[in-house]
Amino acid sequence: MDFLKSAVTAAIAKGSSFPVSLGDRVDIGDSIWTLHNGTKRDDSSACSVFAFDIAANKSRLPLAKNAVRKSRTLRHPGVIKVLDTIETETNLYIVTERVTPLTWPVKRRSLNEETAKWGLYSVASTLKFINEDASSVHGAVRASSVYTSESGEWKLGGFEVLSSMKEDDAIIYTYGSIVPDAARYTPPEVLKGGWDIIKRHPLAAVDAYGLGILIFEVFNGFFAGADQVGKTTNIPPSMQQSYKRLSTANPKLRLSPAHFVEQGKKHGGFFQTPLIRLSEDIESLGLKSDAEREEFIKYESSPPFKHLCEINIQANVTFPNGSELDNLSEDFPEDFFKMKVLPELLKSVEFGGGGSKVLGATLKIGAKLSADEFNSKLTPVVVRLFGNPDRALRVCLLDNLPLMIDNLPQKVVNDKIFPQMTSGFTDIAPVVREQTVKAVLSIINKLSDRIVNGELLKFLARTANDEQPGIRTNTTICLGRIARNLGPGTRSKVLIAAFTRSMRDPFSHARVAGLLALSATVDVYTEDDCASKILPAICPSLLDKEKLIRDQANKTLEVYLQRVRKFANTMADSTFPPTAPTESAKSEARIGTSNDKSWAGWAISSFTNKITTANGEIQTAADGSKPPEGDAARSASVPRPTKSSPSTQLELPKDPKRPSAQPLNRSMSDRPVPVVRQKEPEPMEDEDEVFDAWGAMDDNDPDVDPFTAAVASPKISSPDPAGKASAVPFDDGGEPDFAGWLAAKSQAKKNPLPKGLAKASSTNTVATRATVNTAKPRTVAPVKKPIDTKPKDEEIDDDWGDAWD
């Protein structure tokens, strides 16, 4: 039957002439009213509708009519705001602001102490107004008569028996006992003498008793009956004494709601809380003077701004260190801040002179808004504030940017906020530049690639060379953290240049930041950059004057070495193609082999490989004769040994010193081979003589620079294109031309010179042949007469070694 009645009521309310659309029904327990969530047709705003069915509750109709009448006339911030009242033949309607029954959080015991005190203060203040200013008695103060608005404020309702004591026929005298559940909440003196007895007691005695019961319900969740009145279970200690005086059985000794509020507002009283102070002053914040606003906000100047690296920067800007708004707990009613505090703070910031002092709390509250609420209430204000030239306001905006960046659309950040931020990179105040660099980390994910790799990097390049060392340091840290947001084309080039420069910074913390940034971004560089650019830049830091930097340099170096080594293990052993195995005869001719493990073995093997792997045939001598078989591996300039006269075999000189080696690319047939006998080395006495020895390479002619001769580019003899023997005999430059010497010796025997001139001539010849310069080399004419290299029976004078003297 109740469901049918509700359906009929809803059908009537949905008529075209009804100004409100009824929604879901809200449970309010035992009441003469049914509560519905509604929506106003004219502006689609939310509201609540209290509906009374006349046919179903004829006996309580006077109570409903009294509530409608009193709701129209009673106006107070602590009273439910009535938007409209509608009376029909079948129903009574009271349209109010959107409210929720307080019994819901009370039964769940979800109210914290701070919020409970704030709500009780509001109810007590409203009862003070009703009793003293309106000279009336509410008569039904309890949890079911209190509602919470959308802003979280507690609003007093339940005006069924609200009566003025100036009226002789007040409704409370006649109908006070038919209020639902009246027996449980009626004061003891009324139970004994009826409602008329209230005329002989203080006017506020009935409401004071009901306020005491409300306090017990709020902190305990449920009120069973009169035996619980006055018990202090779960009541805050600071409130217990005043609570007992509210609940006393003697109405003349009861503490009135007005006195209850007064005791709570004393210094150190239970109503001296930040939330209560805020709620009292927030609506008039825009009208307060600067002194009053300072007293409310309670900002204190902070010490000079401190850099990330503990560098003090002096600036004519102060920052909030704390305020009532900042000290508010996280469990305070969010709806109150969204609906009541936030709009007033925004007005104060923009128009009331609050500025940065109020902005910090405003943005903290805004962080609790949904994306839609933030965009509608805060985004337009934030965009306008970024255009404000006030430095303190700009620093506060940048400092709180992480709280609101998630709710800011990307288009707004790119088109409106970042262009305003760029002025902070070049501001004359160091603290503004510092906060601007830090704010980059908050907005980097909202910026487009064009801005990040264009404008942003240009501004960071300026701050990387800032006169303040802390700003340079934080720029390096910023680049390290946004490294992966940079484009692949500019990332490594920019980061390597920035970090290596930071490692040369005279400020020690900047050098540490550069090393840390390199360690954090090791994966963004190529292996070639790691080996050729970064590792050489790290090495000087290994011997830094600061131990902190040396330690970090070692850690960073190890990180890059591990990466380079890991990549080197994946590389091929060589880029040269594998060579075919050579013949055993050729291997025997090599001076060194690949198995040679000495430090110079690779160089000797490389040289001999080129010789032993040469292709083609050895050309014949100038006279057309071929070397005998079996001597193919012997040099043409070395005489062949004979079995008949083993004593005639030439022995190599025992002096290990040889003339300076000539370049391999020069044909020895184009210039004579120097035959010089080097002197025995003398022991060096000190280090200077060692360097002197390296400086004098030619003892015969000190004017000749051996390195100049070595790098000279002589004319290379080209091979015979027809494949015929060259007119110039081949000389490998490895040993003296013994065959040529024998021929010269035979000619000398035919035309002997005086003995005194022989050695001088040889010496002059040697000196002439040993001289190396840049003149055009002369070509040695081929010997026409065949050389007889066959050993003779007679003993040869073995004086060829004189040529080395």
Side-chain angles (χ1 to χ4, degrees):
M1 183 63 69
D2 292 338
F3 174 75
L4 181 60
K5 290 180 180 178
S6 299
V8 173
T9 302
I12 295 173
K14 291 180 180 178
S16 59
S17 60
F18 198 75
V20 179
S21 298
L22 294 184
D24 299 333
R25 179 177 175 176
V26 180
D27 181 21
I28 56 174
D30 190 8
S31 175
I32 67 172
W33 302 93
T34 58
L35 179 61
H36 296 265
N37 291 327
T39 304
K40 294 182 66 176
R41 295 182 185 273
D42 54 355
D43 58 0
S44 300
S45 60
C47 64
S48 293
V49 179
F50 290 87
F52 179 80
D53 188 355
I54 297 176
N57 296 283
K58 286 185 179 181
S59 61
R60 294 175 175 173
L61 180 60
L63 297 179
K65 288 186 175 181
N66 184 69
V68 171
R69 181 163 51 90
K70 293 298 183 179
S71 297
R72 290 174 180 169
T73 58
L74 188 63
R75 299 293 181 182
H76 188 269
V79 173
I80 296 177
K81 183 179 180 180
V82 177
L83 304 177
D84 196 4
T85 58
I86 303 171
E87 297 184 22
T88 66
E89 294 179 358
T90 57
N91 293 277
L92 298 178
Y93 299 99
I94 302 176
V95 182
T96 69
E97 60 181 319
R98 178 64 65 85
V99 293
T100 304
L102 180 65
T103 53
W104 290 5
V106 165
K107 290 179 180 179
R108 294 194 301 264
R109 301 187 65 177
S110 60
L111 295 171
N112 59 76
E113 182 177 332
E114 189 73 20
T115 304
K117 288 181 178 180
W118 173 56
L120 291 172
Y121 172 76
S122 177
V123 173
S125 299
T126 305
L127 290 176
K128 173 186 175 182
F129 166 77
I130 292 174
N131 296 153
E132 294 185 354
D133 298 340
S135 301
S136 302
V137 175
H138 186 280
V141 180
R142 63 195 70 173
S144 59
S145 298
V146 182
Y147 298 83
T148 59
S149 65
E150 287 185 299
S151 62
E153 297 173 279
W154 290 16
K155 301 296 182 88
L156 187 60
F159 298 142
E160 289 80 14
V161 293
L162 177 64
S163 303
S164 173
M165 292 296 98
K166 297 178 181 179
E167 300 175 358
D168 294 335
D169 58 346
I171 193 173
I172 192 172
Y173 301 137
T174 307
Y175 296 98
S177 59
I178 66 172
V179 175
D181 214 1
R184 200 152 46 108
Y185 295 95
T186 302
E189 68 273 13
V190 175
L191 289 175
K192 293 178 181 180
W195 285 98
D196 290 335
I197 201 172
I198 64 176
K199 298 178 181 179
R200 299 192 295 268
H201 296 301
L203 183 146
V206 175
D207 291 339
Y209 187 84
L211 181 59
I213 294 176
L214 176 63
I215 293 173
F216 184 88
E217 283 185 295
V218 167
F219 288 105
N220 291 277
F222 179 76
F223 176 71
D227 58 339
Q228 291 182 330
V229 176
K231 290 186 177 181
T232 58
T233 307
N234 298 324
I235 305 297
S238 60
M239 192 184 291
Q240 289 180 3
Q241 190 64 31
S242 299
Y243 158 73
K244 288 180 180 180
R245 293 189 59 186
L246 287 173
S247 306
T248 184
N250 188 349
K252 295 182 179 180
L253 297 178
R254 284 178 194 154
L255 190 67
S256 68
H259 289 150
F260 180 72
V261 172
E262 184 180 350
Q263 288 189 357
K265 292 292 291 181
K266 288 181 179 179
H267 181 70
F270 46 85
F271 284 152
Q272 286 292 329
T273 65
L275 185 56
I276 293 175
R277 290 196 297 268
L278 174 64
S279 63
E280 285 186 327
D281 296 338
I282 190 61
E283 293 185 359
S284 60
L285 182 62
L287 303 176
K288 292 181 181 294
S289 63
D290 292 341
E292 291 173 335
R293 188 182 299 109
E294 288 291 334
E295 183 179 357
F296 169 65
I297 302 296
K298 289 185 179 178
Y299 278 101
E300 298 178 359
S301 298
S302 66
F305 182 76
K306 218 172 196 183
H307 276 299
L308 179 67
C309 298
E310 301 181 354
I311 298 300
N312 291 331
I313 293 184
Q314 302 292 339
N316 296 324
V317 181
T318 57
F319 300 91
N321 191 31
S323 68
E324 280 185 10
L325 298 176
D326 291 335
N327 292 332
L328 294 177
S329 175
E330 292 293 333
D331 57 4
F332 289 170
E334 294 183 6
D335 293 335
F336 174 69
F337 289 99
K338 295 178 183 178
M339 303 296 296
K340 298 290 291 185
V341 178
L342 184 60
E344 296 298 328
L345 291 179
L346 291 176
K347 293 178 185 177
S348 178
V349 170
E350 285 199 273
F351 313 112
S356 62
K357 300 176 181 179
V358 184
L359 180 61
T362 304
L363 296 179
K364 288 182 179 179
I365 297 172
K368 300 179 181 295
L369 299 176
S370 64
D372 294 337
E373 291 174 333
F374 191 96
N375 288 330
S376 62
K377 295 180 180 180
L378 266 182
T379 299
V381 179
V382 170
V383 172
R384 290 195 298 268
L385 291 178
F386 264 104
N388 195 305
D390 185 7
R391 286 196 178 95
L393 189 61
R394 171 63 64 85
V395 170
C396 189
L397 278 170
L398 296 174
D399 191 40
N400 290 276
L401 198 56
L403 297 176
M404 54 183 172
I405 191 62
D406 292 338
N407 294 321
L408 292 174
Q410 184 174 5
K411 183 174 178 59
V412 173
V413 175
N414 282 276
D415 299 343
K416 298 181 179 180
I417 293 181
F418 182 77
Q420 299 288 349
M421 280 181 57
T422 55
S423 61
F425 289 105
T426 57
D427 195 90
I428 61 174
V431 66
V432 178
R433 302 198 301 272
E434 174 75 15
Q435 284 301 107
T436 305
V437 171
K438 289 184 178 181
V440 171
L441 300 178
S442 301
I443 67 171
I444 187 65
N445 293 324
K446 294 277 185 173
L447 297 178
S448 64
D449 293 340
R450 178 184 60 83
I451 293 179
V452 171
N453 297 286
E455 297 179 61
L456 180 60
L457 287 182
K458 291 179 182 178
F459 286 114
L460 290 179
R462 292 175 64 95
T463 56
N465 296 312
D466 197 273
E467 61 182 5
Q468 295 292 335
I471 296 178
R472 299 197 302 268
T473 302
N474 283 319
T475 301
T476 301
I477 296 173
C478 176
L479 283 171
R481 297 185 64 177
I482 68 172
R484 287 157 186 82
N485 296 95
L486 303 179
T490 60
R491 180 187 301 158
S492 61
K493 183 185 299 183
V494 171
L495 296 183
I496 292 175
F499 298 157
T500 54
R501 170 181 288 187
S502 181
M503 288 189 294
R504 300 191 301 269
D505 197 291
F507 186 51
S508 60
H509 291 283
R511 300 199 296 275
V512 172
L515 292 168
L516 290 172
L518 283 175
S519 298
T521 58
V522 63
D523 57 327
V524 304
Y525 312 112
T526 63
E527 286 77 8
D528 289 340
D529 286 342
C530 293
S532 61
K533 298 179 181 179
I534 298 179
L535 282 175
I538 296 174
C539 290
S541 299
L542 298 174
L543 297 178
D544 195 275
K545 296 180 180 179
E546 299 292 334
K547 184 178 184 301
L548 175 66
I549 299 174
R550 295 196 300 270
D551 294 343
Q552 184 57 46
N554 279 282
K555 295 178 182 178
T556 306
L557 182 69
E558 186 62 28
V559 170
Y560 279 87
L561 284 177
Q562 288 180 1
R563 184 178 178 193
V564 171
R565 289 167 180 165
K566 183 177 180 181
F567 180 76
N569 291 334
T570 64
M571 298 175 65
D573 293 343
S574 175
T575 58
F576 294 104
T579 57
T582 58
E583 298 179 1
S584 58
K586 295 181 180 179
S587 298
E588 293 176 359
R590 294 176 59 185
I591 300 176
T593 63
S594 59
N595 296 327
D596 192 346
K597 302 303 181 182
S598 65
W599 70 272
W602 64 271
I604 299 174
S605 300
S606 175
F607 173 75
T608 56
N609 284 337
K610 293 181 181 180
I611 298 176
T612 57
T613 58
N615 297 324
E617 297 180 357
I618 299 178
Q619 297 179 358
T620 58
D623 58 352
S625 62
K626 294 184 179 181
E629 295 182 1
D631 294 351
R634 184 178 300 276
S635 175
S637 61
V638 178
R640 294 186 303 274
T642 57
K643 296 181 181 180
S644 59
S645 57
S647 60
T648 60
Q649 184 177 356
L650 298 178
E651 294 181 0
L652 294 177
K654 299 191 177 181
D655 188 354
K657 295 296 181 178
R658 295 186 179 181
S660 300
Q662 302 298 327
L664 297 177
N665 61 350
R666 180 167 179 173
S667 175
M668 295 304 296
S669 62
D670 291 343
R671 70 180 187 181
V673 179
V675 182
V676 181
R677 180 180 178 85
Q678 298 184 2
K679 299 180 180 180
E680 289 291 336
E682 298 180 358
M684 300 183 181
E685 298 181 358
D686 52 32
E687 245 181 338
D688 294 335
E689 295 181 3
V690 176
F691 293 105
D692 293 339
W694 283 94
M697 297 293 292
D698 195 337
D699 295 334
N700 295 327
D701 190 353
D703 295 333
V704 178
D705 184 3
F707 294 100
T708 302
V711 298
S713 301
K715 184 177 179 181
I716 301 175
S717 58
S718 57
D720 186 6
K724 298 180 180 180
S726 175
V728 181
F730 173 78
D731 192 350
D732 59 5
E735 297 291 343
D737 188 2
F738 297 133
W741 174 80
L742 288 175
K745 189 69 175 176
S746 301
Q747 187 68 22
K749 285 184 176 292
K750 294 180 179 180
N751 301 311
L753 294 176
K755 189 174 183 180
L757 298 178
K759 189 170 185 178
S761 176
S762 176
T763 304
N764 293 337
T765 303
V766 171
T768 302
R769 295 167 63 89
T771 303
V772 180
N773 50 34
T774 57
K776 183 178 179 180
R778 63 185 182 85
T779 303
V780 179
V783 181
K784 296 181 179 181
K785 184 178 180 179
I787 300 174
D788 185 10
T789 59
K790 183 179 180 180
K792 299 181 180 181
D793 296 336
E794 61 196 46
E795 187 174 346
I796 300 176
D797 185 10
D798 192 9
D799 59 352
W800 62 270
D802 295 340
W804 293 87
D805 294 334

